C-alpha cells in the first residue's frame, strides 16, 4: 500500500534558481529571501570540488591532507537500512555511533565502494566543525558571507537518506562531491509531516516519521498536503542551496560518496537562548496545567513575548524595565542564571 501511495502524491515544484555576480549580490539575496533558492556553480572553483570531480578517492585524499589528528564521530548503519538513518522498530536508532581516525573511516568507505552498495554499510560523518577538525580547509574552500556570525560544518558519507527536519538557523548548503536532493517544506507544514519525539531524535531535532520512499497515507494522510506544498532541489557538485530558518528539509545523498559543506547563522546574537529550550520548558511547566490556567499563560506569552510592543512596558520607567527592556548580554546572562537556579530546585 505504501509504495502505491507514493504515486498519489503531488510532484513538488522546483526550487527557484538565482544568479549572483559577486559577494554583495549574494548578501543582498540572503537578506531579502523568505524562500529557498539555488545558486548553480557558486562553489564550483573550490579545490575540494575540483578533486571530487576527479574521483571519490581524490576528494578523500584532499580532506586527509587537511585533517587534524583526532577522532571523528561516525554513524554506522547496516547495509539493510538502504542508507536511511532513522529509528528501529523499538524507537531506538537503526545505526550505531563510533569514534575513529578519519583515514580508517575513509578506508572503510573505499572498501564499501569496491563491494557495491548492496553489501556496504552506511557511513555518515554529520556536522563536523570545519575549524576544529581541519587545518586550512576553510581558507581554501569557503563562501564569503560578510559580517554574519557563521558556523561552518562538513558532512561526509555514503548514500544516505536523512528524514525531514528543520534547523533554527538559516542555512547555506554547498555540495562539494556527489549529488544531493533536498525536498523542502514551509515552516507551517510541521503537522502534515508527522513529527516524532522532541527528545529522542537521531541528531537533536525532531524528524518526520514518514518514509518518503514508501509513504503510508493510511497512517499519515496529511502527508499529501505537505507534498502539495513541497519544493525540490536537485544539486550537482559546486551548487549551493539556501534554506531559510525553520524550513523543513529531507536530504538524500545520491552517490556512493558525498560531501556537503554548510553554513549556519542566526539573525540574533549567540548570547540569546535557543528557542527549542523554551518549548521544552513549556512542556515541563505549562502543558499539564488545567485548561483555564493554560489559556491564561497563553495570553501572558502573547503579552510579554509575541506582542512585545511599547504598550506592554510604557508604565515602567525605562531604566527599571530589567528583562522587559531589549535584552543585552548582561541582562540575558542574568536571566539565564535565574532560570538555572529555578530549574535546579
Amino acid at each position: 500500500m505504501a509504495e502505491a501511495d507514493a504515486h498519489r502524491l503531488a510532484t513538488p515544484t522546483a526550487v527557484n534558481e538565482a544568479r549572483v555576480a559577486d559577494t554583495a549580490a549574494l548578501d543582498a539575496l540572503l537578506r531579502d529571501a523568505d524562500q529557498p533558492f539555488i545558486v548553480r556553480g557558486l562553489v564550483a572553483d573550490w579545490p575540494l570540488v575540483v578533486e571530487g570531480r576527479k574521483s571519490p578517492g581524490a576528494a578523500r585524499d584532499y580532506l586527509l591532507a587537511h585533517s587534524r589528528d583526532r577522532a571523528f564521530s561516525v554513524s554506522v548503519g547496516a547495509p539493510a537500512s538502504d542508507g536511511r538513518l532513522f529509528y528501529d522498530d523499538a524507537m531506538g536508532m537503526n545505526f550505531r555511533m563510533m569514534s575513529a581516525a578519519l583515514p580508517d573511516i575513509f578506508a572503510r568507505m573505499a572498501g564499501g565502494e569496491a563491494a557495491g552498495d548492496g553489501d556496504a554499510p552506511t557511513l555518515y560523518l554529520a556536522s563536523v566543525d570545519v575549524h576544529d577538525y581541519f587545518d586550512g580547509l576553510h581558507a581554501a574552500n569557503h563562501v564569503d558571507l560578510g559580517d554574519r556570525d557563521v558556523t561552518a560544518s562538513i558532512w561526509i558519507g555514503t548514500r544516505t537518506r536523512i528524514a525531514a527536519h528543520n534547523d533554527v538557523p538559516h542555512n547555506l548548503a554547498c555540495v562539494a562531491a556527489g549529488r544531493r536532493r533536498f525536498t523542502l517544506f514551509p515552516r507551517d507544514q510541521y503537522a502534515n509531516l508527522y513529527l516524532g519525539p522532541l527528545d529522542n531524535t537521531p541528531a537533536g531535532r525532531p524528524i518526520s516519521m514518514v518514509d518518503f520512499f514508501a509513504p503510508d497515507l493510511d497512517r499519515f494522510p496529511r502527508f499529501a498536503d505537505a507534498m502539495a506544498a513541497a519544493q525540490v532541489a536537485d544539486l550537482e557538485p559546486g551548487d549551493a542551496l539556501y534554506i531559510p530558518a525553520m524550513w523543513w528539509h529531507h536530504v538524500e545523498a545520491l552517490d556512493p560518496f558525498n560531501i556537503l559543506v554548510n553554513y549556519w547563522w542566526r539573525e540574533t546574537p549567540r548570547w540569546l537562548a535557543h528557542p527549542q529550550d523554551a518549548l521544552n520548558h513549556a512542556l515541563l511547566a505549562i502543558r499539564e496545567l488545567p485548561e483555564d490556567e493554560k489559556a491564561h499563560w497563553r495570553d501572558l506569552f502573547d503579552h510579554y513575548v509575541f506582542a512585545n510592543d511599547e504598550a506592554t512596558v510604557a508604565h515602567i520607567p525605562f531604566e527599571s524595565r530589567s528583562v522587559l527592556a531589549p535584552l543585552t548580554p548582561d541582562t540575558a546572562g542574568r536571566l539565564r542564571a535565574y532560570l538555572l537556579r529555578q530549574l535546579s530546585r
Side-chain angles (χ1 to χ4, degrees), residues 26-41:
L26 177 61
D27 178 76
L29 273 175
L30 292 172
R31 291 190 187 282
D32 294 341
D34 60 1
Q35 295 277 322
F37 64 82
I38 297 168
V39 181
R40 299 288 181 192

Side-chain angles (χ1 to χ4, degrees), residues 319-333:
E319 64 277 7
S320 302
R321 291 177 184 177
S322 187
V323 298
L324 294 180
L327 290 173
T328 66
D330 179 62
T331 54

Side-chain angles (χ1 to χ4, degrees), residues 18-33 37-39 42-43 142-146 148 172 174 240-242 263 265:
R19 294 181 181 273
V20 297
D22 51 30
T23 299
L26 177 61
D27 178 76
L29 273 175
L30 292 172
R31 291 190 187 282
D32 294 341
F37 64 82
I38 297 168
V39 181
L42 180 69
V43 299
H142 73 275
V143 177
D144 184 354
L145 291 170
R148 293 174 177 84
L172 184 68
C174 303
L241 170 67
Y242 170 65
Y263 304 93
W265 71 93

Side-chain angles (χ1 to χ4, degrees), residues 95-342:
F95 58 91
R96 57 195 175 92
M97 295 300 301
M98 292 181 57
S99 182
L102 192 60
D104 296 335
I105 298 170
F106 280 176
R108 191 166 180 184
M109 287 183 177
E113 289 165 11
D117 282 345
D119 299 319
T122 298
L123 298 169
Y124 186 51
L125 296 100
S127 193
V128 178
D129 189 283
V130 171
H131 296 285
D132 286 349
Y133 285 81
F134 295 90
D135 281 317
L137 185 64
H138 176 78
N141 306 267
H142 73 275
V143 177
D144 184 354
L145 291 170
D147 60 359
R148 293 174 177 84
D149 184 9
V150 301
T151 297
S153 301
I154 189 167
W155 313 67
I156 310 165
T158 57
R159 291 187 206 272
T160 52
R161 289 194 282 145
I162 306 303
H165 62 284
N166 71 2
D167 301 301
V168 172
H170 301 291
N171 186 358
L172 184 68
C174 303
V175 178
R179 297 165 298 131
R180 285 195 191 247
R181 174 175 296 134
F182 286 76
T183 306
L184 302 110
F185 305 86
R187 299 166 179 168
D188 63 4
Q189 291 300 308
Y190 59 90
N192 297 332
L193 290 170
Y194 295 92
L195 303 180
L198 295 181
D199 55 338
N200 175 32
T201 73
R205 298 292 297 160
I207 64 172
S208 172
M209 299 297 291
V210 181
D211 183 348
F212 279 38
F213 278 26
D216 185 343
L217 295 185
D218 288 333
R219 183 180 177 193
F220 307 117
R222 294 193 308 276
F223 183 63
D225 296 326
M227 288 302 293
Q231 300 181 34
V232 66
D234 285 310
L235 305 176
E236 299 285 336
D239 294 341
L241 170 67
Y242 170 65
I243 306 173
M246 301 298 289
W247 271 63
W248 304 91
H249 45 287
H250 177 274
V251 189
E252 301 167 56
L254 301 172
D255 288 318
F257 182 70
N258 305 269
I259 305 171
L260 180 138
V261 175
N262 87 301
Y263 304 93
W264 277 316
W265 71 93
R266 293 174 63 181
E267 301 297 339
T268 52
R270 289 180 183 259
W271 45 262
L272 287 177
H274 196 293
Q276 185 68 48
D277 294 338
L279 178 59
N280 293 340
H281 195 187
L283 292 174
L284 177 67
I286 295 176
R287 186 183 60 180
E288 307 302 329
L289 293 175
E291 290 301 320
D292 63 322
E293 294 184 27
K294 281 202 293 188
H296 175 64
W297 281 104
R298 182 185 297 114
D299 291 342
L300 285 179
F301 269 71
D302 284 340
H303 183 70
Y304 284 113
V305 178
F306 297 108
N308 186 35
D309 56 20
E310 178 62 22
T312 304
V313 293
H315 59 286
I316 305 174
F318 182 83
E319 64 277 7
S320 302
R321 291 177 184 177
S322 187
V323 298
L324 294 180
L327 290 173
T328 66
D330 179 62
T331 54
R334 285 194 280 116
L335 183 55
R336 181 178 285 105
Y338 173 78
L339 288 171
L340 289 171
R341 291 195 300 273
Q342 296 301 110

